[in-house]
Amino acid sequence: LRGSARVSGRLRWPAEGPHFRGEAHLEMPHATLKELGAEIANVSASLPVGYGEDGSLNPGTVTIESLRVHGVAFDGFRASAQLRNGFLDLPEATYVHYGGRGTGWVQAELANPDLPIRFRFEADGVDLSQFVAEYGLKAARVSGRARYVVGLIHTRKQGAEAAGRLWVDEPGGVVSIDVLKSLLSHAPEGPMGLIRDTLEGLSEFPYKSLSGEISMAQGETRIDLSLQGRERFGIFPPKIRAINIQNLPLSFVVKVLGSQRRDR
């Protein structure tokens, strides 16, 4: 962490233990959270702090100019916040995500040695082509506007566990066939071989809808992906009606799509 912080308030210490009520102010140009793989820039916070005190606290604010988690970018983060008895609560958060907008909440038990952190976010209007370009997947070409919901809990003992869903509704978008052939190379032999043969005669796969699920536990992240083909000229059946990929390791996806970064 790099920055400065100031805490002011009133401390009482009766027989039952300490009581504190005040405010904390933080200016932090940069932070690196290795346990979460996060890089944070320009954090500004002004929030109420309470310990052993009854009664409500007036909410403060936390703003973050940019946040990068394992290479995924979030910008313009803003949330209401308070810190009570070591429990940091950001119940109403907004942010910008690759041209889309998201909302959610974050909680962290700072007084707990295991440091549990929880969050839930959902967003819509996310530009997949912008995400692919900025993430550095040089072998991928994907278009479409996505919406998602994702939740995570992280502790020092157990690491991170997460689950999420992703949708792209009609009119969908386009996926480059090179990407699909690389991903399908992970699929077992059988009916998928017919799809691979069909893909050889295509340069891109127009899809009308996309849905996916992601799960992470014990350091392994896996995804399920389903794409429904778009009718040609709005009338004729698609050359490929649907493509379904299940239980695919995310590490494999990053490898075959040729990330330009080395920290994946």
Side-chain angles (χ1 to χ4, degrees):
L1 309 179
R2 188 174 74 245
S4 61
R6 175 172 55 88
V7 179
S8 60
R10 180 171 178 264
L11 175 65
R12 299 185 297 113
W13 204 303
E16 63 269 21
H19 293 248
F20 179 82
R21 190 181 187 94
E23 291 186 349
H25 301 274
L26 172 70
E27 296 294 333
M28 187 164 56
H30 182 263
T32 301
L33 305 179
K34 294 182 179 180
E35 293 184 40
L36 298 178
E39 295 283 337
I40 307 173
N42 294 328
V43 180
S44 179
S46 178
L47 67 156
V49 179
Y51 186 86
E53 288 281 309
D54 297 327
S56 61
L57 298 173
N58 294 325
T61 58
V62 172
T63 61
I64 301 174
E65 181 179 300
S66 66
L67 169 65
R68 302 291 186 270
V69 182
H70 293 294
V72 180
F74 304 85
D75 299 297
F77 182 92
R78 182 180 179 86
S80 58
Q82 68 174 12
L83 178 59
R84 181 191 291 273
N85 296 326
F87 183 80
L88 179 64
D89 187 18
L90 283 64
E92 298 178 355
T94 60
Y95 60 96
V96 177
H97 196 196
Y98 299 110
R101 295 194 172 274
T103 61
W105 54 262
V106 183
Q107 297 176 337
E109 298 181 31
L110 304 182
N112 188 331
D114 201 25
L115 191 59
I117 298 173
R118 307 173 185 86
F119 68 68
R120 182 186 187 277
F121 292 118
E122 55 184 290
D124 57 27
V126 178
D127 186 347
L128 293 181
S129 61
Q130 182 181 347
F131 163 72
V132 168
E134 293 188 14
Y135 191 77
L137 300 177
K138 59 184 179 181
R141 290 183 290 112
V142 183
S143 66
R145 289 279 181 174
R147 55 194 177 100
Y148 65 80
V149 57
V150 60
L152 175 144
I153 180 170
H154 177 277
T155 64
R156 285 174 171 158
K157 290 182 180 179
Q158 302 296 328
E161 296 185 10
R165 295 189 65 191
L166 172 77
W167 303 267
V168 177
D169 295 325
E170 295 190 42
V174 175
V175 179
S176 69
I177 294 304
D178 289 340
V179 173
L180 291 176
K181 286 192 291 187
S182 296
L183 296 181
L184 288 171
S185 67
H186 179 73
E189 293 297 329
M192 301 299 287
L194 298 176
I195 294 180
R196 279 196 290 270
D197 292 341
T198 304
L199 290 175
E200 294 294 338
L202 298 173
S203 61
E204 58 185 22
F205 175 61
Y207 68 91
K208 67 177 180 180
S209 65
L210 177 153
S211 62
E213 295 188 359
I214 184 169
S215 61
M216 177 173 60
Q218 297 179 343
E220 183 65 63
T221 302
R222 295 183 176 273
I223 60 174
D224 295 340
L225 192 64
S226 176
L227 299 97
Q228 301 296 317
R230 185 194 304 160
E231 291 79 5
R232 292 173 290 169
F233 306 106
I235 300 175
F236 301 104
K239 293 183 178 180
I240 300 175
R241 292 196 176 189
I243 294 177
N244 297 290
I245 304 172
Q246 295 183 335
N247 202 31
L248 185 66
L250 186 59
S251 58
F252 176 82
V253 176
V254 173
K255 179 179 179 180
V256 299
L257 296 185
S259 174
Q260 293 174 337
R261 297 173 60 93
R262 298 180 179 179
D263 57 350
R264 298 291 183 264

